[in-house]
Amino acid sequence: DGQEFGNSVLCVDVSFDAGIVVSGSEDRTVRVCRGQNRAVGRGHMGTVWGIALLKGDETFVSGSWDRTLRVWDLECTCLRVVEVGRVVWSLALSPCKTTVAAGQDDGFVTLFSAETWAKVWEEEVHQNIVRSVAFHGRYLATGSDDKTAKILDADTGRVIKSLERGHELPIRSIAFTSHGTSLITTDFGKTLRQWPLHAESTKQMAS
C-alpha cells in the first residue's frame, strides 16, 4: 500500500505493536496510516520536519518550519498548538514517554513535557541547525549542521560528550545502537560513522 503526498516525505514514526505509521511532509501536511485507514492533517504553515508518536499511540506531535508544535489525534484532528519560537527540525519521545525533545534551527534543543507542553529545559547545544535527536535511557544525542554530535544528560540538558572531527558535511541523522554502546551518525555526503562511547557512560546508558 502507498500514499501520495504533494511533496517530499521528510519524517516518519512507527508503532509496530499498534500498526500505525505517522509522517510529515514538505507539503505542510501530516498523515496517519492504520491498515486501510488513512487520515490527513492540515494546519501547519510550513514544512513539517519532525514527528513523534506519543504515549499510548493515540496521539502524535509534529514540528514545523512555522515554529510550532501541533498535537494530533489519529484522525488528524489538531488538539493543541504549542508556540516554540524557533523552527523545529527534529523530534523524539523519551523512553519513559513523558517528555519530547525538539532540535531547532539555531542550535537550541528544548525538552518539553508531553503532558502540559511546558518547557523542562532549553539549551544552546550546537552552532547550527539540530537535524536529529535520539534518546537512550537517560541520555539524549543530537546531530547538527555544525558537523558535530553531542551526548546530553536528558534530565538537565548538560552536554556530557562532544563528538567532533568525524564529518566534513552537516550531520543528517543519528541513532544509538541497541545497548547504547555506540552512536551512529550519517551526513549529507557518503559518510557513516560509529562512535564508541565511554565504557562508564555506556554502562549507565544500558541500565
Side-chain angles (χ1 to χ4, degrees):
D1 290 345
Q3 286 195 69
E4 285 293 329
F5 284 75
N7 220 314
S8 301
V9 180
L10 299 172
C11 52
V12 65
D13 196 14
V14 179
S15 170
F16 293 104
D17 292 338
I20 297 168
V21 179
V22 295
S23 55
S25 172
E26 194 174 1
D27 67 8
R28 307 179 184 181
T29 65
V30 296
R31 302 195 181 215
V32 176
C33 175
R34 288 183 293 168
Q36 297 301 314
N37 298 320
R38 306 284 193 272
V40 180
R42 295 178 174 85
H44 278 299
M45 301 303 292
T47 298
V48 179
W49 288 106
I51 204 158
L53 282 158
L54 299 175
K55 184 177 181 179
D57 296 330
E58 296 179 353
T59 56
F60 65 98
V61 61
S62 57
S64 170
W65 186 268
D66 66 11
R67 301 175 179 235
T68 69
L69 301 177
R70 286 180 178 259
V71 182
W72 311 79
D73 65 18
L74 297 183
E75 301 301 321
C76 284
T77 300
C78 184
L79 306 175
R80 184 165 192 160
V81 179
V82 181
E83 297 290 340
V84 178
R86 298 184 179 92
V87 175
V88 179
W89 284 86
S90 51
L91 292 172
L93 178 68
S94 65
C96 62
K97 301 184 186 300
T98 59
T99 54
V100 171
Q104 293 154 64
D105 65 340
D106 51 4
F108 275 81
V109 178
T110 304
L111 191 73
F112 291 91
S113 164
E115 296 179 3
T116 66
W117 296 101
K119 293 179 181 180
V120 178
W121 53 256
E122 185 172 65
E123 295 291 340
E124 187 175 8
V125 177
H126 290 278
Q127 297 177 359
N128 210 322
I129 294 168
V130 182
R131 288 189 183 268
S132 188
V133 289
F135 282 96
H136 184 91
R138 289 181 50 250
Y139 295 86
L140 175 66
T142 61
S144 171
D145 276 17
D146 67 9
K147 308 173 188 176
T148 71
K150 304 286 179 76
I151 307 293
L152 283 63
D153 182 327
D155 291 337
T156 65
R158 180 176 63 90
V159 175
I160 297 170
K161 192 175 185 69
S162 183
L163 307 174
E164 302 175 0
R165 296 184 295 277
H167 290 277
E168 296 181 357
L169 294 171
I171 292 176
R172 186 169 192 171
S173 59
I174 59 172
F176 283 103
T177 54
S178 58
H179 296 293
T181 54
S182 298
L183 186 74
I184 308 297
T185 58
T186 65
D187 62 28
F188 277 87
K190 299 178 180 179
T191 302
L192 179 150
R193 290 197 176 274
Q194 182 171 356
W195 306 80
L197 301 175
H198 191 278
E200 221 176 87
S201 298
T202 54
K203 184 176 179 182
Q204 293 175 4
M205 290 180 191
S207 63

